[in-house]
C-alpha cells in the first residue's frame, strides 16, 4: 500500500517562500512508476488540485491560481516529491496533501497523505 508523509508546512508572511516535501513509499514498485501531485484544502472549502507531475517527470500541470508561483519536482532516488511555493498569498493558506497514482495523473481519488498545514499571514 502506498504511503505518503508530508512535511515542511508552517506559518509564513505574504510574499515569502516555502518548500513542501513528501516522502513516498511504494511497496513492490519503483516510485518511477507513479505520477505524483499536490492538493490543498482550505478551511470550509473543498479540496482542490494544486500541481501534478507524471511518472517521467517531464509533464507537469498546475492550477491556474498557482501557475508561475509554484513548482513541482520529484526525486525518485530520494523517493520524494516537492512543492516549491513562492510569492505566497493569504489565499494559499490550507492543508496541503501529496498524492500518488500508478494509473495516470493524480486525481481526487488518488491515495494521499495526512497533510501539512500552510498558513500565510498578510
Amino acid at each position: 500500500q502506498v504511503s505518503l508523509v508530508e512535511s515542511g508546512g508552517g506559518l509564513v508572511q505574504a510574499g515569502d517562500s516555502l518548500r513542501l516535501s513528501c516522502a513516498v513509499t511504494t511497496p513492490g514498485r519503483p516510485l518511477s512508476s507513479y505520477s505524483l501531485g499536490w492538493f490543498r484544502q482550505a478551511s470550509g472549502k473543498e479540496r482542490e488540485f494544486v500541481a501534478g507531475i507524471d511518472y517521467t517527470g517531464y509533464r507537469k500541470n498546475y492550477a491556474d491560481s498557482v501557475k508561475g508561483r509554484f513548482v513541482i519536482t520529484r526525486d525518485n532516488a530520494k523517493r520524494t516529491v516537492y512543492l516549491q511555493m513562492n510569492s505566497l498569498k493569504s489565499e494559499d493558506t490550507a492543508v496541503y496533501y501529496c498524492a500518488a497514482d500508478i494509473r495516470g495523473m493524480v486525481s481526487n481519488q488518488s491515495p494521499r497523505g495526512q497533510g501539512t498545514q500552510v498558513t500565510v499571514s498578510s
Side-chain angles (χ1 to χ4, degrees):
Q1 185 165 338
V2 176
S3 173
L4 306 105
V5 180
E6 302 91 341
S7 61
L11 172 63
V12 296
Q13 293 187 334
D16 285 352
S17 297
L18 200 61
R19 188 177 80 158
L20 304 183
S21 301
C22 177
V24 187
T25 302
T26 54
R29 293 181 183 272
L31 184 62
S32 57
S33 298
Y34 289 78
S35 293
L36 304 169
W38 291 90
F39 292 79
R40 68 185 181 186
Q41 187 166 17
S43 180
K45 296 186 177 181
E46 293 188 354
R47 185 171 56 245
E48 64 175 354
F49 170 79
V50 175
I53 184 169
D54 77 345
Y55 69 98
T56 69
Y58 289 106
R59 179 186 170 195
K60 302 178 183 182
N61 54 358
Y62 297 94
D64 288 343
S65 59
V66 306
K67 275 182 184 176
R69 299 189 298 122
F70 290 11
V71 178
I72 186 171
T73 57
R74 62 187 294 161
D75 186 331
N76 290 336
K78 295 183 177 180
R79 309 192 65 80
T80 302
V81 58
Y82 303 97
L83 185 68
Q84 177 67 43
M85 305 186 295
N86 302 318
S87 302
L88 282 162
K89 305 175 182 180
S90 57
E91 50 262 46
D92 295 319
T93 295
V95 177
Y96 284 72
Y97 303 88
C98 65
D101 210 314
I102 200 170
R103 300 165 295 179
M105 295 298 279
V106 296
S107 70
N108 264 322
Q109 285 68 48
S110 301
R112 295 183 302 276
Q114 294 299 306
T116 185
Q117 176 72 46
V118 172
T119 304
V120 183
S121 64
S122 56

